[in-house]
C-alpha cells in the first residue's frame, strides 16, 4: 500500500504554518455523568497531534462520539470531556469549537495551537459522505490527516470525502501502523501463516474464513464456528451452538485448504458442560464421546497442545477470537494455552477484535503480541479482503501526487 504519511510531510518541513485537519478516533466510553471511563483511544491519538504541533502546524482535531442524530446537537453528544482530557495529555489548552463547518472561530489559529472540532457526526451529510459537507471541511485545511483506523471501513465525509478535496491527504501514525501490520501479516507474511478465527457463528465470519482459506497454511477455528466444522467432519456435538445449514460451506473451506496442502485442524478433545453457566461443571471428553445433552464450551487439553505446537512453528499469526468461553475460567484453558503460545512465539503476531483484546488483557500478554489492532470492524473487513474506503482514497491521492 502506498500513501503519504504524516511523518513524510514533517520530514519535508511541509507543516510549518499550515492548517492541519486530523480525523482521530476519540469515541471513548463514558458513564451516566459524562465522565470518561477508558481513554485508550485518546491516548493513542496524541502522537499525531503532538507531531503536528511540534512541526509548527495550526492543528484542528475532530472525531465522532456515540450515535448522535445529524443536525440535532445534544449536550450528551459533546466532545467537551474529550477536550479536557486531551488538554491534560498534551499539556496545553484545547479549545472546543462549535458550529465549525463554515470556518467559524477558525480564522485566527496560531502555529502550535490545538482546537477540537465538535462531534463530526452532528453535521448533516457526514454519514452519507456528502460532497458538499466534505468540500466545506476541505476548505478549512491545507493538509488532511486520517488517524482513525477504526472508521476506515466507512465512507463518510470526514473519513473519505474530505480526503478527495483537501490539498494534501495523509495517513497519521496510528492508521499507518495498522496498515503496515496488516500488510506484513497478510500481504507478505513469513510462513507458515496461521490464522485463528473464532466466534459464535460461521455466518458472521464466513467471508473472512473464505478469504483466509486462500492465504493461510493453518486455519484454526474456535467457539461455535468450530462446532459447525466438527459437524462437517462427521462428529457429534450434542446440543452445542452450531449452524447445521452451513455445514456444506464448512466442508468447502476444508476442501479448499486441503487441495493446496493446508489444513483446518479439527479438535480431538473438548471441554463440555450440561448447561451454559459460570458455575457449570466442566468435563473433558474425546470428541467421539460427546453426549447428546453436552454443550461444547472449550477445546480440550490435547487439542490445545496440538494447536500450540502449530503456533510455535508459525512464521506469522493472525488472531481473531477466543476459542472457548474464556470468561468462565473452567472453559478458558484452551484460549489461555493458545494465548501463551502466541506470546512465546517468535512469529510476527497481529490480534484484533473486542473479545480477543479482552483475552489478551486477562492473560497479561499485551507486550508480547506483535501488533494489537484497535480497529474492530475495519480489522475484520481487512481480513475479509475488502477495500477500506478511507484507505483507498489516501492511496489514490498519493498516486495523483506522485504523478504531478
Amino acid at each position: 500500500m502506498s500513501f503519504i504519511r504524516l511523518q513524510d510531510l514533517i520530514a519535508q518541513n511541509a507543516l510549518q504554518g499550515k492548517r492541519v485537519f486530523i480525523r482521530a478516533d476519540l469515541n471513548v466510553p463514558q458513564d451516566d455523568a459524562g465522565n470518561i471511563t477508558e481513554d485508550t483511544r485518546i491516548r493513542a491519538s496524541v502522537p499525531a497531534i503532538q507531531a503536528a504541533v511540534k512541526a509548527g502546524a495550526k492543528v484542528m482535531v475532530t472525531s465522532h462520539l456515540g450515535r448522535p442524530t445529524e443536525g440535532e446537537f445534544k449536550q450528551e453528544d459533546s466532545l467537551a470531556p474529550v477536550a479536557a482530557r486531551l488538554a491534560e495529555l498534551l499539556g496545553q489548552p484545547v479549545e472546543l469549537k462549535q458550529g465549525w463547518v463554515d470556518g467559524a472561530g477558525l480564522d485566527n489559529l496560531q502555529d502550535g495551537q490545538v482546537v477540537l472540532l465538535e462531534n463530526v457526526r452532528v453535521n448533516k451529510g457526514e454519514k452519507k459522505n456528502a460532497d458538499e459537507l466534505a468540500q466545506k471541511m476541505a476548505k478549512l485545511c491545507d493538509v488532511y490527516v486520517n488517524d482513525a483506523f477504526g472508521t476506515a471501513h466507512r465512507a463518510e465525509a470526514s473519513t473519505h470525502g474530505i480526503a478527495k478535496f483537501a490539498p494534501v491527504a495523509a495517513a497519521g501514525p496510528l492508521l499507518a501502523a495498522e496498515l503496515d501490520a496488516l500488510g506484513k501479516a497478510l500481504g507478505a507474511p513469513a510462513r507458515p501463516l496461521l490464522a485463528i478465527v473464532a466466534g459464535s457463528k460461521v455466518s458472521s465470519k464466513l467471508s473472512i474464513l473464505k478469504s483466509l482459506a486462500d492465504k493461510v497454511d493453518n486455519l484454526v477455528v474456535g467457539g461455535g464456528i468450530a462446532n459447525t466444522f466438527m459437524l462437517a467432519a462427521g462428529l457429534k456435538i450434542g446440543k452445542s451452538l452450531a449452524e447445521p445449514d452451513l455445514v456444506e460451506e464448512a466442508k468447502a473451506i476444508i476442501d479448499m485448504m486441503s487441495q493446496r496442502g493446508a489444513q483446518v485442524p479439527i479438535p480431538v478433545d473438548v471441554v463440555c458442560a450440561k448447561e451454559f453457566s459460570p458455575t457449570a461443571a466442566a468435563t473433558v471428553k474425546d470428541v467421539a464421546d460427546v453426549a447428546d445433552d453436552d454443550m461444547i464450551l472449550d477445546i480440550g487439553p490435547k487439542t490445545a497442545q496440538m494447536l500450540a505446537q502449530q503456533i510455535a512453528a508459525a512464521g506469522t499469526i493472525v488472531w481473531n477470537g477466543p476459542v472457548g468461553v474464556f470468561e468462565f475460567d473452567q472453559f478458558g484453558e484452551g484460549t489461555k494455552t493458545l494465548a501463551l503460545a502466541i506470546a512465546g512465539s517468535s512469529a510476527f503476531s497481529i490480534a484484533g477484535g473486542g473479545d480477543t483484546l479482552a483475552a489478551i488483557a486477562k492473560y497479561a500478554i499485551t507486550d508480547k503480541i506483535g501488533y494489537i489492532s484497535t480497529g474492530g470492524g475495519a480489522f475484520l473487513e481487512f481480513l475479509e479482503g475488502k477495500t477500506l474506503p478511507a484507505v483507498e482514497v489516501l492511496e489514490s491521492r498519493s498516486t495523483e501526487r506522485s504523478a504531478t
Side-chain angles (χ1 to χ4, degrees), residues 10 16 49-57 59 112:
I10 291 171
Q16 178 65 49
I49 300 168
Q50 283 181 326
V53 167
K54 189 175 179 182
V59 184

Side-chain angles (χ1 to χ4, degrees), residues 71-254:
E72 296 180 21
F73 177 75
K74 299 184 184 71
Q75 195 54 44
E76 59 262 33
D77 300 324
S78 178
L79 289 172
V82 175
R85 181 62 182 135
L86 196 54
E88 291 173 355
L89 292 168
L90 291 171
Q92 70 179 82
V94 176
E95 185 180 349
L96 182 65
K97 297 287 188 180
Q98 307 273 357
W100 51 270
V101 170
D102 292 313
L106 301 177
D107 293 335
N108 300 308
L109 297 183
Q110 303 300 306
D111 295 355
Q113 184 179 355
V114 179
V115 295
L116 185 62
L117 309 180
E118 189 58 276
N119 196 331
V120 72
R121 284 202 185 146
V122 172
N123 300 310
K124 285 187 176 180
E126 166 64 12
K127 295 196 77 171
K128 290 185 177 179
N129 195 23
D131 277 355
E132 183 182 1
L133 175 60
Q135 286 167 343
K136 286 183 176 181
M137 291 180 182
K139 287 178 181 176
L140 301 176
C141 65
D142 302 301
V143 176
Y144 166 73
V145 177
N146 190 333
D147 205 32
F149 179 74
T151 64
H153 59 309
R154 297 190 179 103
E156 298 180 346
S158 68
T159 63
H160 180 270
I162 183 175
K164 292 190 299 182
F165 302 114
V168 178
L174 192 62
L175 176 63
E178 292 268 3
L179 297 175
D180 288 346
L182 286 163
K184 183 177 178 180
L186 297 177
R191 298 282 180 173
L193 169 57
L194 180 145
I196 301 169
V197 179
S200 58
K201 294 184 177 181
V202 171
S203 55
S204 65
K205 294 186 177 177
L206 182 61
S207 52
I208 296 172
L209 293 167
K210 285 181 174 178
S211 177
L212 290 175
D214 245 355
K215 302 181 179 76
V216 304
D217 302 297
N218 291 294
L219 179 58
V220 176
V221 291
I225 293 175
N227 297 336
T228 302
F229 275 78
M230 287 175 67
L231 283 178
L235 298 169
K236 293 193 301 180
I237 63 166
K239 60 178 183 179
S240 307
L241 178 67
E243 293 175 288
D245 57 321
L246 290 177
V247 164
E248 292 306 314
E249 295 277 12
K251 286 180 179 177
I253 289 169
I254 293 171

